[in-house]
Each structure stands twice: as structure tokens, then as C-alpha cells.
Amino acid sequence: MIYLSYYVLENHELKVKIANKGAELRSIKSKVDGTEYLWQADVVFWGRHSPILFPIVGKLKEDCYNFEEKSYNMNQHGFARDREFSISKNEPNTISFTLTDDDETLKIYPFNFELTIEYKLMNNSVLVNYLVKNISEKKVMPFSIGAHPGFNLPLDDRTSFEDYYFEISPKRTRKYIPVSEDVLLQMNNAELVSKNVYDLKRELFSEGVLIWETLGRTRIALKSDKTDKTIILDYDSVPYLGVWSTYPQEASFVCIEPWCGIADTIDSNGVLDEKAGINILRPHEQFQTNFKMTFK
């Protein structure tokens, strides 16, 4: 099969490029004024654009897990981001990419699966649909899935990174989960917080990624009082949110990450189907969720 380097979705407002490798968004550009909203993968800071996190989100304790009394190694965020997907749908405003298990994935993740990532362009929004299927005849399948899009900041030449803030709504109390130096979750130190507006100061990320539980309908708006340009993420059924940028390096991006799954806790027993935040599919079951990104 011949793989193109990327595919394009385009309408009167946005031009979006997606690569076969990792089914990864590579560009989201305004056709109105040329603004590139997506981080362009400067390897000095972070060499990715918007990786798909599957079949784990975050880091495993000691980079390994156990399933049915056998140990497996897997790097942070899983393998999907580095695999070649096939095209399963290609229509004017919608494109779908599909990945299935093979001999290489079965060595580190012993499950028969089908993962489909669909991108749908709607005016100035991109709808991202995730569909995970357990195609095994007998075995249950534990998994996590998540998004990791990086957005350029500043969005114009009149603003700086620290002119921006993000707002989580609706305003309510949410659980905030700190991470260790090894990027494992410190559940014992989790706290309920009512704050929902955060200025993008570098020191905000001095202890690593910020993580909240986000139960129910959620909106994250990335904006500044010095520009009308705004990025909004909306979802109804994604239980966790990560927000990350580099520290102390001053990279010009911030990642806003909807997750169905989280990293291991610092006291994890390593058993995959007992992992915090894990999803379980019985044979022939499927899991579906989505989120929407809007660019103004």
C-alpha cells in the first residue's frame, strides 16, 4: 500500500492536514487570515503535533504492566502515535483512519483491536471521533485513549505566550491530580479545586502536566484579552483533562488534552485491568467518544 505523507480537509474557513503516521493532525490553518493554530513540531522543544494516545495514556510505572500474570513493556502514551494507519473513509469533509493489531503490537499489547480516528470539518470546527473495538472472540480488552494536540501561542504578532489564559467551564469544583517527578499520579495528594481560570505563566508547569477530572459536559477556552483569537475544546464524555507546556524552556505552545484514561499512580500494582481510569471492553464490544475543537 502506498501512503501519502498527509491528507487534507478543507472548507471556506479552515485547511486541515492529517498524516497517515499516527493519524496525527499536522496543521490547522485559517483560510481567512492564514493563522496556523497547531504547533509545528520543533524538535528542540517537542517534536510532535497532536499524537493519538493508545492503548495507554501517560506513563506506566517502570514502563511495564501485567496482564494474566505476564509482564509487558510499553513506553509512555502507547504505540498508536508511531504506527501507520490505513484510510477507511475519505469524503469531502470527513476522513477516517484505522489501525488494527498485528504481530508487532501483539508482542507488547496482547489484544485484537480495531481503532478508528475520524476527523470531520464543520465550518470553523474540527470534530474528532474515537472508535475502539475489541475484535477478540474471548478476551476482555483493557485500554485507554486520549488526545494530545499542541496549539501555537501566541496566535498573532501582537501578543505573547503569557498574555493568554485558559478557562474550564462550567464553573464547578473538580478534582485536581498532581504528578510526581516520574510523571506518575499522586492520588493521595489530589484535591478538590473550584478555580477555573488559569493564566499561562511558565511557572504553572514547573511541576509537570496539570490534570483534572472533568465529569460531564466540559469546555476549555484558550484566549487572551489582547486578541479576539480563541481556541475552544468541547466534550460531553471525557473523564480527564491534561494541560501541558514546557518548563523552564519557553516553547511557544500549550497542549490541551482530553483523555479517557490516565497514567499509573505512584503506588500502582501494575495490573492493567486494575489500572486507575482504565476502560474495559468485553469481546465484540466497542467504545466511542468525541471532542470538538473550534478556532475563532
Side-chain angles (χ1 to χ4, degrees):
M1 181 179 292
I2 298 175
Y3 291 98
L4 300 178
S5 58
Y6 57 83
Y7 287 79
V8 174
L9 292 177
E10 191 170 8
N11 63 12
H12 62 289
E13 295 206 37
L14 295 175
K15 183 175 183 179
V16 178
K17 296 180 180 180
I18 313 107
N20 286 92
K21 183 178 180 181
E24 184 180 12
L25 287 162
R26 295 293 180 93
S27 175
I28 303 172
K29 184 174 284 191
S30 169
K31 292 182 68 176
V32 177
D33 62 11
T35 299
E36 175 60 75
Y37 289 98
L38 203 65
W39 168 248
Q40 291 302 290
D42 183 342
V43 295
V44 172
F45 300 103
W46 182 55
R48 298 182 188 268
H49 306 258
S50 181
I52 304 298
L53 316 181
F54 177 88
I56 60 170
V57 169
K59 187 176 177 62
L60 297 172
K61 188 176 181 180
E62 299 180 356
D63 291 324
C64 69
Y65 69 89
N66 297 304
F67 184 75
E68 295 183 342
E69 300 183 350
K70 186 174 179 180
S71 181
Y72 300 86
N73 294 317
M74 192 181 298
N75 292 331
Q76 182 170 331
H77 295 324
F79 53 75
R81 59 186 180 167
D82 295 315
R83 304 286 295 183
E84 293 283 352
F85 283 63
S86 61
I87 298 295
S88 49
K89 179 191 292 184
N90 191 358
E91 298 176 351
N93 291 312
T94 305
I95 189 165
S96 297
F97 298 81
T98 297
L99 179 70
T100 56
D101 60 276
D102 59 26
D103 290 343
E104 292 303 309
T105 67
L106 289 169
K107 291 176 184 177
I108 59 174
Y109 184 65
F111 304 98
N112 302 118
F113 69 87
E114 182 179 283
L115 167 64
T116 298
I117 312 296
E118 180 187 78
Y119 298 100
K120 186 173 184 179
L121 194 56
M122 304 181 299
N123 298 318
N124 62 336
S125 298
V126 180
L127 179 66
V128 184
N129 289 303
Y130 291 158
L131 177 63
V132 182
K133 296 180 180 180
N134 179 1
I135 57 177
S136 170
E137 295 295 330
K138 298 181 179 179
K139 187 182 292 187
V140 298
M141 188 179 90
F143 75 96
S144 298
I145 188 166
H148 197 318
F151 300 109
N152 280 329
L153 282 187
L155 291 171
D156 60 32
D157 57 10
R158 298 170 298 167
T159 54
S160 67
F161 181 93
E162 295 195 349
D163 287 330
Y164 290 80
Y165 59 94
F166 65 92
E167 181 178 16
I168 309 173
S169 58
K171 184 172 176 56
R172 62 164 68 124
T173 299
R174 295 179 174 84
K175 182 182 286 187
Y176 174 78
I177 308 170
V179 297
S180 69
E181 289 184 4
D182 296 328
V183 205
L184 300 177
L185 304 184
Q186 301 185 74
M187 284 296 191
N188 289 341
N189 293 328
E191 59 180 324
L192 295 176
V193 296
S194 57
K195 181 177 180 178
N196 73 317
V197 177
Y198 295 83
D199 294 330
L200 282 174
K201 306 302 181 185
R202 288 293 168 188
E203 292 75 17
L204 188 62
F205 306 103
S206 61
E207 296 182 2
V209 61
L210 313 176
I211 301 172
W212 294 264
E213 285 188 354
T214 53
L215 305 177
R217 181 168 294 181
T218 302
R219 166 170 286 190
I220 306 96
L222 180 62
K223 51 191 175 180
S224 169
D225 294 332
K226 296 182 179 181
T227 180
D228 292 333
K229 290 194 171 298
T230 304
I231 299 172
I232 298 170
L233 275 74
D234 288 291
Y235 53 78
D236 292 334
S237 56
V238 178
Y240 302 98
L241 169 69
V243 177
W244 172 74
S245 190
T246 57
Y247 179 86
Q249 301 88 350
E250 295 187 0
S252 300
F253 73 85
V254 65
C255 293
I256 300 177
E257 311 174 37
W259 297 336
C260 296
I262 45 177
D264 272 355
T265 61
I266 56 175
D267 58 353
S268 170
N269 64 11
V271 178
L272 186 62
D273 48 342
E274 297 177 8
K275 177 177 167 59
I278 201 71
N279 305 285
I280 304 289
L281 287 177
R282 294 193 294 268
H284 301 294
E285 280 191 335
Q286 65 182 40
F287 169 96
Q288 192 166 7
T289 193
N290 61 65
F291 65 97
K292 184 174 69 171
M293 299 179 289
T294 301
F295 304 90
K296 296 183 178 181

